């Protein structure tokens, strides 16, 4: 299974970006999909998660500004980021927790996409 993320870039504060991630390969069940980020000198942190039943969790810092969504038929997860702030600058990583037919559970990461918010 591979996760391919896209949509990063540079935007001015207050602007918007949309990140997309697609899971490819032998996918049986995708449990949760989500986005994490890592700023320079900081630990990777959760941004948003969405379960297979569309239960959603957001980091407090992005609530009301970011929206996560997924398309189960296409194995994709998107992150719409509005009202971006300087502190949102980070490398954003797509994540998926996937179950196999033998009920094994694996955690996958995408390659990371840079989001830079400038003043």
């Amino acid at each position: 299974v591979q996760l391919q993320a896209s949509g990063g870039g540079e935007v001015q504060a207050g602007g918007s970006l949309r990140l997309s991630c697609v899971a490819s390969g032998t996918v049986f069940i995708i449990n949760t999909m989500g986005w994490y980020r890592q700023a320079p000198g900081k630990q990777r942190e959760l941004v948003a998660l969405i379960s297979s039943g569309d239960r959603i969790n957001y980091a407090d810092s992005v609530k009301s500004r970011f929206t996560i969504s997924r398309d189960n038929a296409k194995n994709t997860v998107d992150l719409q980021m509005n009202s971006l702030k300087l502190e949102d600058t980070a490398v954003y990583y797509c994540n998926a927790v996937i179950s196999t037919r033998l009920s094994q559970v694996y955690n996958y990461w995408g390659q990371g996409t840079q989001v830079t918010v400038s003043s």
Side-chain angles (χ1 to χ4, degrees):
V1 175
Q2 290 187 330
L3 300 182
Q4 181 68 44
S6 61
E10 183 169 354
V11 65
Q12 288 190 324
S16 299
L17 281 175
R18 187 176 183 88
L19 304 182
S20 295
C21 177
V22 58
S24 61
T26 304
V27 176
F28 183 53
I29 296 176
I30 301 180
N31 299 311
T32 62
M33 298 189 82
W35 294 91
Y36 290 73
R37 67 187 181 188
Q38 188 166 18
K42 295 187 177 181
Q43 290 187 334
R44 190 174 297 189
E45 63 176 3
L46 170 69
V47 177
L49 277 178
I50 183 168
S51 73
S52 57
D54 290 337
R55 287 173 296 181
I56 294 173
N57 288 317
Y58 292 106
D60 288 342
S61 60
V62 307
K63 283 181 181 177
S64 78
R65 300 188 298 121
F66 291 10
T67 302
I68 189 170
S69 59
R70 66 187 280 178
D71 185 327
N72 293 325
K74 297 180 179 179
N75 293 336
T76 60
V77 61
D78 292 343
L79 185 68
Q80 178 66 41
M81 304 184 293
N82 298 328
S83 303
L84 283 160
K85 302 177 180 180
L86 297 178
E87 52 264 40
D88 293 319
T89 295
V91 177
Y92 283 69
Y93 295 91
C94 175
N95 174 266
V97 177
I98 297 175
S99 295
T100 71
R101 291 182 180 275
L102 299 179
S103 299
Q104 297 165 316
V105 180
Y106 295 94
N107 194 30
Y108 292 95
W109 294 94
Q111 82 282 13
T113 184
Q114 177 70 45
V115 171
T116 302
V117 184
S118 58
S119 59

